[in-house]
Amino acid sequence: MDRVSSFDEPLKKLLGGATAKVMAEHLDLHTVGDLLHHYPRRYEERGKLTALADLPLDEHVTVVAQVADARILMFNNGRGKRLEVTLTDGSGRLQLVFFGHGVHKPHKELLPGRQAMFAGKASVFNRKMQLAHPTYQLLDASDADEATEAVDAFAGRLLPIYPACKQLDSWRIAKAVDAVLPSARDAVDPLPASLREGRGFTPLPEALLKVHRPQTKADVEDARARLKWDEAFVLQVALARRRYADTQLPAVARRPVADGLLDAFDAKLPFTLTEGQEKVSKEIFDDLATEHPMHRLLQGEVGSGKTMVALRAMLTVVDAGGQAAMLAPTEVLAQQHHRSITEMMGELAEGGMLGGSDRGTKVVLLTGSMGMAARRQALLDLVTGEAGIVIGTHALIEDKVQFHDLGLVVVDEQHRFGVEQRDALRSKGKQPPHLLVMTATPIPRTVAMTVFGDLETSVLDQLPAGRSPIASHVVPAKDKPHFLSRAWERVREEVGNGHQAYVVCPRIGDDAEEAEGKGGKKAKAKKQAADEDPEKRPPLAVLEIADELRKGALAGLSVEVLHGRMHPDAKDDVMRRFAAGDVDVLVATTVIEVGVNVPNATAMVIMDADRFGVSQLHQLRGRVGRGSAPGLCLLVSEAHEASPARARLSAVAATLDGFELSRIDLEQRREGDVLGQAQSGVRSSLRMLTVIDDEEVIAAAREEAVAVVAADPELEHLPELRTVLAALLDKDREEYLDKG
């Protein structure tokens, strides 16, 4: 069997159809290689029992413990039988319960003094922790042969505990691993020999054996260090090759022009740029002046002035004879950007029009819902080059849209934009245009290196002068209802002082299934469940809350709604009136999350705040305190004081540092989500590496990867690394890396 194919062998050949089917469906394991990379989550020491006192609730757990006592209880007038077994390990006690016909075998086997491994989901019943119907394996079998086998399998060794599922326990996975472990000899080692020896790494086949069947704790450390490096290095090589390929593409250099549009714009700015804005602008201008396409990620705190930096880059490109396109994720945001950019530019945005500046250009908006005449004019302005700047949604990507000379693409809020869309817009330039990606979600450095590793990164972490602090507080609506009443009084006070407020809800409230009729039964069932258990109630909705506020706490104020299902004209109308100060309170969904800029809005109340993520709450909060008056953000929640949800809200209330919050967010959600949602292609291939804890490994692997690719871009002298890269870069991912 050759070296690659044993890893590609389907599991059903070695394990049988039933086990292979469960592994494929529930654990996403299909081949020998998949199973060898399904690493133990932790290890039990033989003879040292798991601390029962520390069992996590509602998780599938494996414990090694001793039976203290077992008794059969009758119920239902003797018709029902229940076996209760108490386990102990010196740190705590745990109850097992078996019902019905399932009591006979455990009753015979689980005798006091017996030691066994038990697996199941830990739950609480009558205030006691219990496992209902756990699967188990005795560790002290009475049959001599079996005892020898059990001792051989477990004695003196660390016992691997694998990520398991209800259908397949950890020790069954361990047995399956035993069946495929001989194939570890065939592992293709991706690390160049010089790197492996230079860093003193264990060979890969040995690392796989050690991680699955360690003799000592040092074995585990050795194996983990090696396997983490493999993951980090292979991914960083893929990204380094991507960056290298970009440097080989041609692009038109766009150099600043003296006394052009940019100088005229800077001269009329009513404020000076922050040091951060100056520094980042210089990085961007340097990139634009080269004959290879810029690929830069601009991440900045909420309100750090990213749009200003992006606009100055666009003006430079227009000065140099090109056009710039800004891509926004929603129509509300595209309209908002268009409005704020034309306001900032004044007569400079009216090139060729009466009263416009002779140094000016046209700034056009292009969205899917525009009328035919306006759309036709915008398309004409783009193809003739009359419009130097276009702002739009994905409507910009359509085949009909042609540019005179597209020089720069600015993508706002990267995580809402697919790779394919970026690629389609890029293909509209005569040569690949420069690319600037903006994100308002601060990203920890390691995630930026892993997820956006094909982009150079610029960070804006200074707020412009004139920004006000935002005070944030958690409002425990369930425990202290009077706090919620006070929250609405505070909104009234802000409006009384001439300011405005947002109220944000997780849901719109016009869901089809909530209407009586087709989904009426569902709605009734939901309501009944919610009455019985408030945790199960649907999230609060914009339309309902707006209605309640108009009739109750905010009666007499002008309360309007904004959500994604409204007609674009209606959305634009509400935003215009809110921006003009004609609306006191805007009750909205997260459509206001990014980019909405109304300096007079000083208060925000977020309903069911525990239903939003940390970064999202930080984004939303950034909509207030944008003027000279201080901002106030109230996080309303019915979550229990001791719950993780409340801990998350307290973290948001405690700091305004988005980078700190993004770390907390990552620690809580685990990187699988972060990597998975960042772009279609970076599905987490990271099994051993944790992006938040292994910063040093990732940074070092990136350096090594850059050196390897610089010396041998096609990896001609590293066939093993090429083989492993090919396996990692499945089709989706390959496309992702190809498109950038």
Side-chain angles (χ1 to χ4, degrees), residues 140-152:
D140 51 350
S142 49
D143 176 62
D145 293 345
E146 227 177 292
T148 313
E149 215 172 283
V151 168
D152 285 351

Side-chain angles (χ1 to χ4, degrees), residues 190 192 194-195 199 229 232-244 698-718 721:
S194 57
L195 193 161
R199 291 185 176 264
W229 245 90
F233 179 72
V234 172
L235 184 57
Q236 290 302 333
V237 167
L239 294 165
R241 287 185 76 193
R242 175 77 196 93
R243 287 194 303 277
Y244 178 83
I698 291 169
R702 182 180 169 110
E703 264 178 52
E704 294 277 12
V706 168
V708 163
V709 171
D712 182 3
E714 294 304 315
L715 309 178
E716 284 172 21
H717 304 294
L718 298 168
L721 179 53

